[in-house]
């Protein structure tokens, strides 16, 4: 946490953290990592989230900031669709850059994460979780290099159409 503390010592008011959705549903056991749909996707403490290294890292960062510099705000930047949420034909090396097949899967994830980082919970390991004040939902959806047109788009809608569904969810 020395680098984080050095940044905080400059007097910054906000820290951004990339909380990628596909990594947040990935847990690692015995040197293998698997992204899977959470059993209870709206539960902030579902084991699929709680065992994810990227979520555990935000747990620690949010605790550190809440404990050492409570006036600093955390911004979470969320992107990257997990393979289990993709249209089946979109899964692959760049599957994270396609919109989810069901926008509600994303809504469930955001509900769980906003609850997890509401500043009112403790992790399974006893760590008080801090507060994420602001959430940035995806980015550059108007760029085909970032968010591709899904194979499930049989109506040939612009990919930005799917972004509206994600925001509504």
């Amino acid at each position: 946490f020395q680098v984080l503390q050095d940044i905080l010592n400059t007097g910054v008011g906000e820290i951004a953290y990339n909380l990628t959705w596909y990594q947040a549903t990935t847990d690692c056991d015995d040197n293998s990592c698997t992204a899977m749909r959470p059993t209870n996707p709206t539960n902030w403490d579902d084991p699929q989230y709680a065992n994810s290294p990227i979520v555990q890292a935000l747990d620690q960062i949010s605790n550190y900031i809440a404990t050492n510099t409570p006036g600093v705000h955390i911004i979470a930047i969320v992107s990257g669709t997990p393979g289990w949420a993709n249209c089946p034909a979109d899964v692959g090396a760049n599957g994270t850059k396609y919109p989810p097949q069901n926008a509600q899967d994303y809504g469930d994830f955001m509900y769980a994460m906003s609850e997890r980082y509401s500043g009112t919970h403790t992790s399974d390991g006893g760590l008080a979780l801090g507060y994420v004040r602001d959430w940035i939902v995806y980015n550059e959806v108007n760029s085909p290099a970032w968010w591709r047109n899904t194979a499930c788009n049989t109506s040939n809608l612009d990919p930005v159409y799917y972004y509206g569904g994600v925001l509504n969810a």
Side-chain angles (χ1 to χ4, degrees), residues 2 11 13 15 25 30 34 71 84 90 107-108 115 117-118 121 123 147 155 158 164 167:
Q2 186 58 52
I15 295 288
T25 61
D30 301 325
T34 306
W84 58 263
D90 295 337
D108 291 346
E115 179 62 28
Y117 299 107
S118 64
H121 296 292
S123 73
W147 209 17
S155 299
D158 189 289
L167 292 177

Side-chain angles (χ1 to χ4, degrees), residues 18-80:
N18 288 318
L19 181 65
T20 51
W21 181 23
Y22 67 92
Q23 289 178 311
T25 61
T26 300
D27 63 18
C28 300
D29 292 324
D30 301 325
N31 298 322
S32 67
C33 300
T34 306
M36 293 177 27
R37 180 186 306 272
T39 303
N40 188 349
T42 58
N43 179 2
W44 68 271
D45 200 27
D46 185 281
Q48 198 65 31
Y49 302 134
N51 294 331
S52 164
I54 197 166
V55 170
Q56 290 174 354
L58 184 52
D59 289 354
Q60 293 174 7
I61 291 168
S62 70
N63 174 271
Y64 186 88
I65 289 174
T67 303
N68 296 290
T69 52
V72 172
H73 302 289
I74 299 173
I75 301 170
I77 303 166
V78 183
S79 66

Side-chain angles (χ1 to χ4, degrees), residues 88-105:
D90 295 337
V91 177
N94 289 319
T96 63
K97 293 188 176 187
Y98 290 95
Q101 187 172 4
N102 179 356
Q104 190 57 51
D105 288 333

